[in-house]
């Protein structure tokens, strides 16, 4: 199985802050990495696919980048609605896997 | 517009088999590339991918649960059924179905989820 390790597991930030979440794959997954946002009590929502591509309708303050097996989700200016848990997911192998999640709390 | 909805029991006993149905609209298994996945989330925990079936009947399973899972589709009814055998307390979770496309691998549309508790 390909393991996906997110860091940090949680963080506290203020509105307007720049936030960075990292996801590391246990082996090469090319660009087959997707990011989801799950607000409390809500269904997960696709933010970024194929490492860097913004899903339609997602605000441009969200961006994805990659360097080898390390992928990064950046929120350029945190908004109140962005306080949520974020998950990465690899779609490289035939068995997909999610990271353990990163919770973004209000500071 | 793609929509999905999960249905099934919300309470099962240990050792029983869970049967969940995902009913969808806005796409069809007659279309090349279409897929439906099942994902679950225990209370307060992370998402876990379980299984996926594609338009051509290709099936994929989580290696850790492969022996307990069976996924099937009914193209005429626009439904996908997931069976999970030998249910245990640790299988208590919200179960989601989601739309996916072959060669894409991401889940762009999700059902609302169905909470399933395992208790005697």
């Amino acid at each position: 199985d390909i393991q996906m390790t997110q860091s940090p597991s949680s963080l506290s930030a203020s509105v307007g802050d720049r936030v960075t979440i990292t996801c590391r794959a246990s082996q090469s997954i090319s660009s087959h990495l997707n990011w989801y946002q799950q607000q409390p009590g809500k269904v997960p929502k696709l933010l970024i696919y194929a490492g860097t591509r913004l899903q339609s309708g997602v605000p441009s303050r969200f961006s994805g980048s990659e360097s080898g097996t390390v992928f990064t989700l950046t929120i350029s200016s945190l908004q109140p609605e962005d306080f949520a848990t974020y998950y990465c997911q690899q779609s490289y192998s035939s068995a997909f896997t999610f990271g353990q999640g990163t919770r973004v709390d209000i500071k | 517009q793609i929509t999905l909805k999960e249905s099934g029991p919300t309470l099962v006993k240990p050792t029983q088999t869970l049967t969940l149905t995902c009913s969808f609209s806005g796409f069809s298994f007659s279309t090349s590339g279409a897929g439906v996945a099942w994902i679950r989330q225990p209370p307060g925990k992370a998402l876990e991918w379980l299984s996926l079936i594609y338009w051509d009947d290709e099936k994929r399973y989580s290696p850790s649960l492969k022996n307990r899972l069976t996924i099937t589709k009914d193209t005429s009814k626009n439904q996908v059924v997931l069976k999970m055998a030998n249910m245990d307390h640790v299988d208590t979770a919200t179960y989601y179905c989601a739309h996916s496309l072959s060669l894409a691998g991401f889940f762009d549309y999700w059902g609302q989820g169905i909470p399933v508790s395992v208790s005697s």
Side-chain angles (χ1 to χ4, degrees), chain A residues 72-86:
Chain A
T72 302
L73 173 70
T74 299
I75 309 172
S76 60
S77 178
L78 200 65
Q79 298 301 300
E81 61 268 30
D82 300 337
F83 292 97
T85 300
Y86 294 85

Side-chain angles (χ1 to χ4, degrees), chain B residues 97-109:
Chain B
C97 63
H99 171 264
S100 185
L101 288 172
S102 178
L103 300 182
F106 52 79
F107 312 118
D108 50 358
Y109 297 91

Side-chain angles (χ1 to χ4, degrees), chain A:
Chain A
D1 300 11
I2 297 178
Q3 308 301 320
M4 307 303 296
T5 303
Q6 289 183 232
S7 60
S9 56
S10 66
L11 64 90
S12 295
S14 301
V15 172
D17 284 353
R18 182 181 181 89
V19 169
T20 298
I21 298 169
T22 297
C23 179
R24 181 183 298 271
S26 60
Q27 67 183 73
S28 174
I29 58 171
S30 187
S31 296
H32 297 269
L33 191 283
N34 312 301
W35 289 98
Y36 301 84
Q37 175 195 63
Q38 187 177 32
Q39 295 172 325
K42 298 285 188 65
V43 175
K45 172 187 174 183
L46 177 67
L47 297 176
I48 302 279
Y49 65 94
T52 61
R53 301 190 176 193
L54 196 67
Q55 172 69 348
S56 175
V58 174
S60 59
R61 62 180 180 273
F62 292 94
S63 65
S65 63
E66 56 187 273
S67 177
T69 59
V70 180
F71 297 81
T72 302
L73 173 70
T74 299
I75 309 172
S76 60
S77 178
L78 200 65
Q79 298 301 300
E81 61 268 30
D82 300 337
F83 292 97
T85 300
Y86 294 85
Y87 295 94
C88 62
Q89 173 243 333
Q90 66 81 16
S91 50
Y92 179 79
S93 72
S94 60
F96 300 158
T97 45
F98 286 91
Q100 81 277 20
T102 295
R103 189 176 71 189
V104 177
D105 291 330
I106 302 174
K107 195 175 211 177

